[in-house]
Amino acid sequence: MSHSTPRASRRNFLKGAGCLTIGFVLLGAGSLAAETPKGPELPGSLQDNPRINAWLEVLADGRVRVLTGKIEIGQGIRTAVAQIAAEELDMPLERVEVVLAETGRTPDERYTAGSASIEQSAMSVRYAAAAARQKLLVLAAAQFKAMPSQLELRNGGVRTTDGRQLSFAQLLDGQQLQDEVRLPIRLKPKADYRYVGRPILRNDVERMVRAEEYYVQDLRFPGMVHARILRPPTYEAKLESFDTKALKKAVPGVLQVVVDGSFVGLLAEREYDAKLAQDFGRLHARWSGGRALPAGQPLAEHLRQLPAIDKRTTDKGNFNETDAAPTLRANYFKPYLMHGSIGPSCAVALLENNALHVWTHSQGVYPLRDSLAKLLKMSPENVHVKGVPGSGCYGHNGADDVAADAALLARAVPGRHVRVQWSREDEHAWEPYGSAMLFDLEARIDPKTGRITHWKHELWSDTHSSRPGGSPEKLLAAQYLAQPLLPKPEDDISGGIYRNSEPYYDFPAVRVDTHYVQGPLRVSALRSLGAFGNVFALESFMEELAVKAGQDSYEFRLRHLKDERAKAVIRKVRDMVQQEKLAPREGLGVAFARYKNQAAYCAVVAKVVVAPEADGSTIRVAKIWSAIDAGEVINPDGLKNQTEGGLIQAASWTLNEEVHFNAHQVTTRQWEQYPIFRFDEVPQVEVAVLDRPTEPPLGAGEAAQGPTGAAIANAVFHACGKRIRQLPIRPEKLLA
């Protein structure tokens, strides 16, 4: 598509923020809800933003606009919240519009993370819409001189039994519901659902497939300036010299060069000229040496030797060191992993009339606003951040950093939009990675009962979240300014490190020791945080114990579980592969976890084919099955899609992915050095959803990652008899 024609306007991105809101006082909250049963506790997002109009507005044409502080990152939040609002308000789905994260416009829900979009944002919309339903009935009852119980909501209005009807817009007369949402609230009976629980198609997917304007990378504004950032060759290197006059002579299209300490921004009218300027700078700028990286020893050994903050994060049961020796000991390792976003990070910023506007695919528009305000020494009220979907996310990638780049450069050309696009090399070399992790496990099995009696899990890991969160020093650019802002090390262990380290199984004695270290590379949140590594180690070890005890893989796990829902997903996935036939050098492996030990239940079986060593010893994942229980399902297709994507992504992590570095810099700077699954490597996937409509919805977007890695490792063992405990599981490790 042509880049010469403006394809978006600031007006289109800023419109729709002028609704008048007033409070209604016809009846107090107690009177409104006097006949309703007491429900569960309100979602945390709703407690933080308790008024109806924080979540939905009635438009003049009778449509309803839903506001969510979450951003669309592939989880289908736009479709899910539309389904929920349409359901509670008994109106056509196509009459519901959804506005995603935008400061000053939508609720402050912090980050779109932790598989909490449905649990928090969508459920907040459910209660707000239900409260709106109650209020609309009360208002209509006053108009019709009838009892609320004699009225019904239908097609965007309130109707009497004799056919009289008022639309929502007529009832509100241009105003909005500002009542506070309080329990108890009568939710729509599930038996009457028309939308929730149905596989409603996502309209945004067609736009992606057709390569229409959808992502932040697609934004174009009239008179927009393009920019690239000249990064140092390695961490903490300082700019010593850069001949900007030679640059402008070599690339006449350069509009401006911004140099602030070791932060270098290159602005041009054309994107191609900005890229040429970056290439020139990489060849001619001179930098100091920077920080050396520990390339002389295996990373797992390095992690174990680093100074650590130690914490016993689980300690239950009786550990008597004079008891019998452990039945088995093993250690496991997960390397640094990239987010591997298909589209490198991008942002647009505009400084105009002392106000900063930023378009970003950050997962937290409000925390980013606060960080940028401090970085630029502006009032947060003068910083407006609008979330726009990005091409790939999977956690805290470069989105916040590139937004800071754009904000800093916008000061150089006030009144003009500045678009900063990272290159593939920028993304691979400078994004914050998922932390490397090391695990030591040991367990004791009672020889009489065949059950595990003692379990120890010791792990070493860097942090799993360095999101800005209002701290500008965590933004990459801030660390390279003439007056740098440098991040301080954490003084405590975050829960993301030991997420899912405590077994969900029923073991009499469990001990988990966590060691927080500062590794050599920049790290932050990657999908599932520490759960991927912890579950890989835990479930690989469970399989090794089952084999050592001579027990069936499924029954061994079932014998150690009390939760019937956990047992159900394991039994379901076992049934799914019951008829699967295995040829020589093929194996099936199973794994299970409940994400965060409180969200969705997920069991996974992988089928792996290992070619004989004489044939080059290749490893191929032929198929993956999964059974998932996420409580009440809003959109079955959405849940399946999330799980399927998680299975494939985790399979790629398990077999292919690893960040490499030498003593000077990260060396995996292109796809050739960091291969993710190609289409011909993607396995077949089959997902069974155990819908439990009477249970609360559970976060599911990150549930499949950990079990998938362990299931593949277990399948490789059953295919060829070799246990690989260090990821990725590459063919050469089978030969070692």
Side-chain angles (χ1 to χ4, degrees), residues 75-256:
Q75 81 280 42
I77 187 64
R78 189 192 296 271
T79 303
V81 298
Q83 287 178 257
I84 286 169
E87 196 70 81
E88 290 295 335
L89 294 171
D90 274 311
M91 63 188 303
L93 187 61
E94 61 272 14
R95 302 278 289 166
V96 177
E97 169 192 324
V98 178
V99 175
L100 300 175
E102 181 177 355
T103 60
R105 186 74 185 90
T106 64
D108 180 0
E109 294 193 83
R110 299 291 292 172
Y111 288 103
T112 305
S115 298
S117 294
I118 296 296
E119 284 184 295
Q120 287 296 323
S121 196
M123 291 303 100
S124 295
V125 169
R126 170 175 279 176
Y127 280 98
R133 163 198 283 268
Q134 294 177 202
K135 189 67 182 186
L136 289 165
L137 287 171
V138 169
L139 293 174
Q143 292 270 9
F144 290 126
K145 295 181 171 52
M147 295 294 293
S149 59
Q150 297 173 316
L151 306 175
E152 66 174 355
L153 270 67
R154 181 177 296 182
N155 295 329
V158 181
R159 181 176 176 176
T160 65
T161 54
D162 59 8
R164 290 176 294 160
Q165 182 163 326
L166 287 172
S167 70
F168 296 163
Q170 288 173 319
L171 284 169
L172 296 178
D173 194 23
Q175 298 164 7
Q176 296 297 329
L177 296 168
Q178 198 178 343
D179 297 68
E180 188 170 321
V181 182
R182 295 179 180 176
L183 290 174
I185 295 173
R186 187 187 299 278
L187 299 176
K188 183 177 181 179
K190 296 180 186 295
D192 296 338
Y193 279 177
R194 294 188 298 162
Y195 299 117
V196 170
R198 287 182 53 197
I200 303 297
L201 294 178
R202 286 174 52 187
N203 295 330
D204 55 341
V205 173
E206 182 174 347
R207 294 178 62 191
M208 298 177 205
V209 172
R210 294 184 181 277
E212 295 178 3
E213 300 156 15
Y214 177 76
Y215 296 116
V216 65
Q217 286 89 348
D218 298 325
L219 287 179
R220 298 294 186 273
F221 295 89
M224 186 172 71
V225 175
H226 294 272
R228 293 290 176 105
I229 307 300
L230 183 60
R231 302 286 182 202
T234 190
Y235 294 142
E236 299 178 14
K238 303 299 181 185
L239 182 66
E240 294 183 333
S241 65
F242 182 39
D243 191 341
T244 58
K245 292 183 178 179
L247 166 65
K248 291 184 176 181
K249 184 176 181 180
V251 188
V254 170
L255 179 67
Q256 196 166 342

Side-chain angles (χ1 to χ4, degrees), residues 30 40 115 339 370 445-446 457 491 596 608 639:
S115 298
H339 295 81
D370 295 343
I445 296 179
D446 185 327
H457 183 144
D491 56 8
K596 296 189 287 190
V608 167
L639 178 55

Side-chain angles (χ1 to χ4, degrees), residues 470-492:
S471 302
E473 65 274 10
K474 294 183 179 180
L475 296 166
L476 182 62
Q479 301 168 31
Y480 289 87
L481 299 175
Q483 295 182 332
L485 302 174
L486 301 178
K488 298 178 182 178
E490 303 289 338
D491 56 8
D492 195 9

Side-chain angles (χ1 to χ4, degrees), residues 252-320:
V254 170
L255 179 67
Q256 196 166 342
V257 179
V258 175
V259 179
D260 186 344
S262 296
F263 174 77
V264 182
L266 310 164
L267 295 87
E269 301 281 357
R270 299 192 311 155
E271 185 175 12
Y272 184 60
D273 287 332
K275 176 65 172 67
L276 290 178
Q278 186 185 46
D279 292 341
F280 180 92
R282 285 173 175 166
L283 290 173
H284 295 92
R286 295 182 58 190
W287 303 84
S288 66
R291 170 161 56 88
L293 300 177
Q297 68 178 134
L299 181 57
E301 293 180 11
H302 179 72
L303 291 180
R304 194 185 296 273
Q305 295 170 2
L306 288 172
I309 296 176
D310 305 322
K311 184 177 182 179
R312 181 154 291 167
T313 49
T314 302
D315 192 5
K316 67 178 185 180
N318 180 30
F319 276 90
N320 187 341

